[in-house]
Amino acid sequence: MNSPAPWRRWHSLLARRLCDAGWSVRADLGPTVPRGALDRLLALEARRFGGSLATRDAPPAELVDGPGTGDAVVYLTTGADMVPTATPTFRLTINGHSDLAGGLAQVLRTGDLPELTLWLDDRAVLSARPMLSDRLWLSRMCDEILAGAVGLVESGLKRWQAGLLEPMEAPGMSPSTPSLMRYYLPNLVAQGARRAVAKLGSRRPFYWQVAYRPARPGIDPLSPGLGNAPFTVLPDDGTRFYADPFVIARSGGVFLFVEEFPYSLGRGIISVSQLASDGTFGTPREVLREPHHLSYPQVFEQEGDVFMLPESGGANQLVLYRAEEFPHRWARDTVLLDGVDVNDATVVSREGAYYLIGTERLGPGSASDRMVVYHSPTLRGPWTPHPLNPILIDRAGARPGGAVLKQDGRLWLKVQDGSTAYGGGLGLREIIDLNVHNVRFGPVVPIAMGTAWHRTGIHTLNIDEEWEVVDSAG
């Protein structure tokens, strides 16, 4: 790792992760660089937040052992010219800028979302689109962008080692570097005003709604949409909301599982409603509660048993539950993953093996843009992380938004689009390759809302043979 610019916390995070992945890492530092606008602004915000991934840091002493030659160089430049070398050299650009401050300034100046590019020598080979959940504070923006940068370098090196990197269309490079200091304060004022207006207009701290309707014959994966048939909203009493709907037919009944979030409790539980004879779902009844947040109650059958795999990323575990008395009594069956913050992990069975596709939060980064895959010969494990993890960094196509769609012998993953906001949209991506050696997806095909859904977006969509369920921010 060659750094002619200041060593920052994200560099240390990257070095640790590469070491954990089996790489031998050495840091080759340049001369001390004076503090610039980025450092001064981060120091100002540190009084409120503490440090960020962009904060200056000291590299681990064991990594600094003088010049040498390795299999590859990761050039952590922030504006300096890259030194030519015969060794394969990777570098990053952010929105057309090779320096972090310039890339951040470009985001603030134009309002564009971050676009990261990994270059191998003079060829663009991989890209990342980190999610920005907070555009108000520079520290928070840096955390999400630089967590994405760490993932992009990790993925690039693994794919290069496996011979899977291919040149891509190179993005345009900016001929000049905008001033970060010039655009920081106007952005702070504008984003602060938007946040204040949003809070004044909100009747609840946050709010989601679930809705349902009879299922259509099928979705066209090449041009998906909700169409015009109206949905019926699952009512709530104002002291809670419902989200993440999954529907399953069993024992002559139809059951709607949801995340229930009572505001007084401050975390999610899992509840279920059974379809009544009049074709409506009534008030959901609690079926599963843990000391931590639960959501995304993915329910499915296997060999006569019914299982539930809810999200429990806040507990750093992924636990499989089995119905002891369906649908109201569930028991912990197996801890599938431990020590990882995996979100909305979705089960896929393919060619005699099982896969989990979800997103994994890295440090202070986003929980919605870093896709990881795990594989196992059986549902209960053992589960092994895919050697190419993270598979991709994409705010518009990484986090699952429902069970995999199987149609005409092809598999389609529903993915959340967080480009404008969390829960802002949903799309389909075809699963082209999914095996222990490689994972490839087709492009995201957005799911159009049509006139059927008059909300701010789509967050989850699930369909069984008779019913279709959806949710979004209220």
Side-chain angles (χ1 to χ4, degrees), residues 41-42 45-46 49-50 52-53 137-144:
L41 292 172
L42 291 175
E45 290 190 4
F49 299 114
S52 80
L53 288 180
W137 299 105
L138 188 65
S139 301
R140 295 292 183 254
M141 292 175 60
C142 286
D143 281 341
E144 294 187 322

Side-chain angles (χ1 to χ4, degrees), residues 154-194:
E154 282 186 273
S155 181
L157 286 172
K158 289 177 179 179
R159 289 183 175 275
W160 171 71
Q161 189 178 44
L164 296 173
L165 272 185
E166 297 180 357
M168 53 173 276
E169 183 178 353
M173 298 297 294
S174 178
S176 61
T177 300
S179 167
L180 180 59
M181 194 67 77
R182 175 182 176 184
Y183 297 107
Y184 173 80
L185 187 57
N187 176 79
L188 194 66
V189 172
Q191 295 294 332
R194 290 191 186 98

Side-chain angles (χ1 to χ4, degrees), residues 115-118 125-129 152 168 392-394:
E115 304 283 340
L116 311 185
T117 304
L118 183 69
V125 291
L126 209 58
S127 63
R129 302 193 295 168
L152 181 59
M168 53 173 276
L392 50 84
I393 315 292
D394 189 353

Side-chain angles (χ1 to χ4, degrees), residues 80-163:
D81 292 332
M82 189 173 70
V83 178
T85 174
T87 306
T89 301
F90 292 87
R91 62 187 176 92
L92 284 170
T93 56
I94 303 175
N95 288 59
H97 294 269
S98 59
D99 64 299
L100 175 58
L104 291 168
Q106 183 75 4
V107 170
L108 297 183
R109 182 180 70 86
T110 62
D112 293 341
L113 291 167
E115 304 283 340
L116 311 185
T117 304
L118 183 69
W119 301 72
L120 175 55
D121 299 325
D122 60 349
R123 304 187 309 276
V125 291
L126 209 58
S127 63
R129 302 193 295 168
M131 183 169 173
L132 281 190
S133 58
D134 187 343
R135 300 192 65 148
L136 176 63
W137 299 105
L138 188 65
S139 301
R140 295 292 183 254
M141 292 175 60
C142 286
D143 281 341
E144 294 187 322
I145 291 172
L146 295 177
V150 170
L152 181 59
V153 175
E154 282 186 273
S155 181
L157 286 172
K158 289 177 179 179
R159 289 183 175 275
W160 171 71
Q161 189 178 44

Side-chain angles (χ1 to χ4, degrees), residues 234-459:
L234 183 68
D236 62 71
D237 61 4
T239 66
R240 70 201 68 236
F241 68 74
Y242 302 114
D244 288 354
F246 283 79
V247 64
I248 184 171
R250 182 173 172 82
S251 303
V254 179
F255 301 89
L256 174 62
F257 286 83
V258 295
E259 171 201 341
E260 177 181 339
F261 193 103
Y263 294 114
S264 60
L265 183 63
R267 68 176 187 272
I269 60 178
I270 304 304
S271 297
V272 66
S273 173
Q274 184 172 358
L275 184 70
S277 58
D278 64 358
T280 64
F281 288 96
T283 302
R285 172 182 169 186
E286 177 183 335
V287 296
L288 184 61
R289 180 188 296 225
E290 294 283 16
H292 49 267
H293 177 76
L294 293 173
S295 60
Y296 202 73
Q298 180 182 183
V299 286
F300 55 93
E301 293 189 57
Q302 186 193 57
E303 298 178 354
D305 284 323
V306 183
F307 294 95
M308 183 196 301
L309 187 62
E311 180 196 313
S312 54
N316 285 332
Q317 279 190 336
L318 185 65
V319 180
L320 180 70
Y321 294 81
R322 180 176 47 82
E324 290 189 331
E325 183 182 329
F326 183 86
H328 298 296
R329 193 156 62 90
W330 298 81
R332 288 168 67 98
D333 186 277
T334 310
V335 176
L336 303 188
L337 300 176
D338 199 10
V340 291
D341 183 354
V342 173
N343 302 274
D344 295 349
T346 300
V347 178
V348 184
S349 176
R350 185 178 174 96
E351 297 178 353
Y354 288 85
Y355 298 87
L356 290 172
I357 304 174
T359 53
E360 181 179 358
R361 186 193 298 272
L362 176 61
S366 171
S368 298
D369 59 10
R370 178 187 175 92
M371 179 189 284
V372 293
V373 170
Y374 290 79
H375 59 86
S376 172
T378 70
L379 177 61
R380 291 184 170 94
W383 288 90
T384 303
H386 199 281
L388 296 181
N389 281 346
I391 303 303
L392 50 84
I393 315 292
D394 189 353
R395 58 182 169 263
R399 183 165 178 163
V404 167
L405 175 66
K406 300 178 182 181
Q407 196 159 306
D408 300 326
R410 299 160 75 178
L411 298 180
W412 302 79
L413 180 69
K414 304 182 190 105
V415 288
Q416 300 181 31
D417 184 351
S419 299
T420 56
Y422 178 69
L426 201 65
L428 292 179
R429 300 193 82 158
E430 185 176 8
I431 301 175
I432 297 173
D433 283 332
L434 183 60
N435 54 59
V436 298
H437 303 294
N438 197 11
V439 180
R440 283 195 308 134
F441 293 91
V444 176
V445 184
I447 296 176
M449 290 188 291
T451 61
W453 191 236
H454 301 286
R455 300 296 188 273
T456 56
I458 317 172
H459 174 250

Side-chain angles (χ1 to χ4, degrees), residues 2-68:
N2 185 297
S3 179
W7 188 272
R8 300 186 184 275
R9 288 183 182 176
W10 78 274
H11 299 158
S12 295
L13 176 60
L14 174 59
R16 289 196 301 271
R17 293 194 63 85
L18 293 180
C19 287
D20 290 344
W23 294 82
S24 177
V25 179
R26 190 197 71 254
D28 184 9
L29 303 180
T32 302
V33 178
R35 293 182 179 272
L38 175 60
D39 297 301
R40 293 193 293 273
L41 292 172
L42 291 175
L44 182 66
E45 290 190 4
R47 299 175 184 178
R48 177 184 178 95
F49 299 114
S52 80
L53 288 180
T55 301
R56 289 201 184 203
D57 195 16
E62 64 271 18
L63 298 186
V64 185
D65 59 3

